[in-house]
Amino acid sequence: MKIKLLPIYLTIAVMALLQSCSKDDNNDSGKQTALTLKLVNPTDLTSVTFSDLSVSFKELNTGKVTPSSAFVNNNLSINLNEGSYEISVDGKIKYDADGTIVEASVSGYKESVVVTGGTAVVSLNLFLKTTQSDFVIEEIFFTGTKTAEGKQYQGDKYFKIHNNTDHILYADGLMIAQSEFMTVDKQDYTPNIMAQSFAASAIAIVPGTGKTYPIAPGEFFIIADDAINHKEYNPGSIDLRTATFEFYTEDADDVDNPAVPNMENLFSSMIIHNRGFKSFVIARLPVSKNTYLADYTYDYEYNLVFGGESYPMGESVYSIPNAWIVDAVNLSVQSEFKWIVTAPSLDKGWTYCGKVDADQTRYGKSVRRKVLSTTSNGKKILKDTNNSTLDFSPEAKPSLMN
């Protein structure tokens, strides 16, 4: 299904290039630009009015954040030092839906905006924030561990999925997918469907008949890479025998715990990227699996420029409509981040384990969603603003690691 056209020697060269890339140093010339930010209304909405709009401009080299809220008719004028900026907008919206006035939250995000010259104009598309009541990704342990000899240990990664509602949810049929695109490598993909769908390199589905796996409010379930006691092979690892599910591939050198149900591989096998180059979503599948596999392929092209030459590339994968997605987490590396690979309505931030590429200190760390509050019966309510930068603690101690 997936066709790679890049020659092997070029693949190796590109991997080396990715490992050596870093942000340019900021010269901070002191020059300023009069920037006009123009907000573009969410598509297909009429009679739109905004309130409580706020925007932040984060200069990517210095980390300096400049906030503002002085919008006039969807436009904001501000003087900024020349540089490369990450722009984020939040606010509230009212619009007409067939004669009914609807209130909702709205957000927008744009990365790597180069601000230079005397004046500049930037347009930013706004999206309605999703407010679905379903599972959220509580934790991703993607880095793995190291042995006492300093070798990388495989198989002890996991996902922790949390019921953030006040009612029972069923895990049956929940999809988990890893992104096709990398947050550390931005290309001009054609067609670019990111505003409508998520391009997936691997998709797995929780088994069950519909009500086989109930998860109570405030409870969670674990999807393990391999649901075994990894401490027997690496004392610094984790015992994952109590995981709820595990990823398993029959035709690969994989370990199967017969006491733990296997995830169903809908497309490709889930090989979790251990540096955080890729992102993850969970979603509900409203059509049959056969219909999905027949109707939701995604073919894209781009030109890879390397060594002064342009190489045409093409891939065929699957896409998940954004409307099906109930939660998303963008992962990246601090020194290598280029863009988020989801629509900002799903997640307009990102989190990490490792400040530089191949950071040796990332092992044994996870990203964990912050606790917003605790109910009277001791159940956690997790923070969920659709912004992983704000919602997650990076480089945290894995919750399952003693």
Side-chain angles (χ1 to χ4, degrees):
M1 185 64 197
K2 190 172 181 180
I3 306 170
K4 293 198 180 284
L5 304 181
L6 190 64
I8 184 64
Y9 69 86
L10 189 57
T11 301
I12 296 172
V14 170
M15 290 176 65
L17 179 63
L18 284 174
Q19 292 177 356
S20 64
C21 288
S22 63
K23 285 190 176 68
D24 294 334
D25 291 336
N26 179 34
N27 294 324
D28 193 11
S29 64
K31 295 181 180 179
Q32 285 203 326
T33 298
L35 175 74
T36 299
L37 179 66
K38 294 181 174 292
L39 302 184
V40 180
N41 292 342
T43 56
D44 302 325
L45 298 187
T46 59
S47 302
V48 174
T49 59
F50 294 100
S51 63
D52 300 329
L53 283 175
S54 64
V55 61
S56 67
F57 301 87
K58 180 180 180 181
E59 210 290 314
L60 296 176
N61 293 293
T62 64
K64 180 182 177 181
V65 176
T66 303
S68 182
S69 59
F71 283 95
V72 177
N73 298 326
N74 285 32
N75 295 339
L76 179 146
S77 297
I78 189 172
N79 291 325
L80 294 173
N81 289 333
E82 291 187 340
S84 182
Y85 285 84
E86 177 184 280
I87 305 175
S88 180
V89 174
D90 285 288
K92 299 185 183 301
I93 189 173
K94 290 183 181 180
Y95 61 94
D96 188 304
D98 298 325
T100 301
I101 300 301
V102 177
E103 296 185 12
S105 296
V106 71
S107 66
Y109 175 85
K110 204 164 191 175
E111 74 284 326
S112 302
V113 178
V114 177
V115 175
T116 186
T119 61
V121 178
V122 174
S123 295
L124 190 148
N125 293 322
L126 294 177
F127 299 88
L128 293 177
K129 284 188 177 180
T130 57
T131 56
Q132 293 163 298
S133 180
D134 211 314
F135 290 107
V136 297
I137 299 172
E138 178 176 350
E139 180 182 10
I140 308 176
F141 178 50
F142 63 89
T143 60
T145 54
K146 272 191 170 183
T147 66
E149 295 76 28
K151 296 181 179 180
Q152 182 176 285
Y153 182 81
Q154 301 288 344
D156 55 359
K157 307 176 186 73
Y158 66 83
F159 295 87
K160 192 174 187 179
I161 312 298
H162 180 89
N163 180 352
N164 214 35
T165 75
D166 60 359
H167 56 275
I168 291 175
L169 293 174
Y170 293 90
D172 306 48
L174 190 74
M175 305 166 69
I176 186 166
Q178 183 170 240
S179 66
E180 165 71 0
F181 303 139
M182 296 192 297
T183 59
V184 298
D185 179 33
K186 187 175 182 179
Q187 300 290 344
D188 186 14
Y189 300 111
T190 304
N192 187 337
I193 62 169
M194 207 171 292
Q196 296 81 36
S197 298
F198 176 82
S201 63
I203 306 172
I205 298 181
V206 174
T209 59
K211 291 190 175 181
T212 308
Y213 301 105
I215 309 296
E219 297 297 333
F220 62 86
F221 65 93
I222 300 293
I223 308 174
D225 196 351
D226 291 319
I228 63 174
N229 183 6
H230 296 276
K231 296 174 73 68
E232 292 182 359
Y233 309 95
N234 177 18
S237 187
I238 307 169
D239 186 352
L240 289 175
R241 288 175 296 177
T242 58
T244 322
F245 308 101
E246 70 173 345
F247 297 113
Y248 178 66
T249 304
E250 291 184 1
D251 59 351
D253 184 16
D254 203 356
V255 179
D256 184 23
N257 181 348
V260 176
N262 292 330
M263 296 284 288
E264 178 183 347
N265 295 321
L266 183 63
F267 168 58
S268 191
S269 298
M270 187 66 69
I271 301 175
I272 304 167
H273 199 289
N274 78 349
R275 283 187 281 174
F277 285 6
K278 298 206 170 187
S279 302
F280 294 91
V281 302
I282 53 176
R284 295 289 187 179
L285 184 65
V287 300
S288 71
K289 297 168 188 174
N290 289 337
T291 297
Y292 177 77
L293 293 174
D295 295 345
Y296 290 89
T297 55
Y298 170 43
D299 302 325
Y300 69 90
E301 299 176 347
Y302 68 101
N303 290 318
L304 177 64
V305 178
F306 182 78
E309 300 290 335
S310 180
Y311 299 88
M313 303 290 293
E315 302 258 357
S316 181
V317 292
Y318 279 89
S319 67
I320 302 174
N322 292 343
W324 299 0
I325 295 173
V326 298
D327 195 32
V329 179
N330 281 285
L331 300 176
S332 197
V333 179
Q334 275 195 333
S335 66
E336 307 299 319
F337 173 75
K338 296 296 187 297
W339 66 335
I340 60 173
V341 293
T342 65
S345 58
L346 301 173
D347 183 14
K348 65 173 184 176
W350 55 278
T351 187
Y352 64 92
C353 286
K355 295 179 175 60
V356 297
D357 188 18
D359 194 331
Q360 294 300 299
T361 68
R362 75 186 188 278
Y363 294 104
K365 296 177 181 177
S366 72
V367 295
R368 295 177 62 178
R369 192 178 290 271
K370 298 173 183 177
V371 177
L372 183 64
S373 62
T374 305
T375 64
S376 58
N377 59 359
K379 301 296 184 182
K380 295 185 298 185
I381 298 175
L382 303 181
K383 187 175 182 179
D384 183 20
T385 67
N386 292 348
N387 186 336
S388 290
T389 303
L390 303 178
D391 293 344
F392 278 81
S393 296
E395 299 188 319
K397 180 178 179 180
S399 61
L400 302 186
M401 184 175 287
N402 295 326

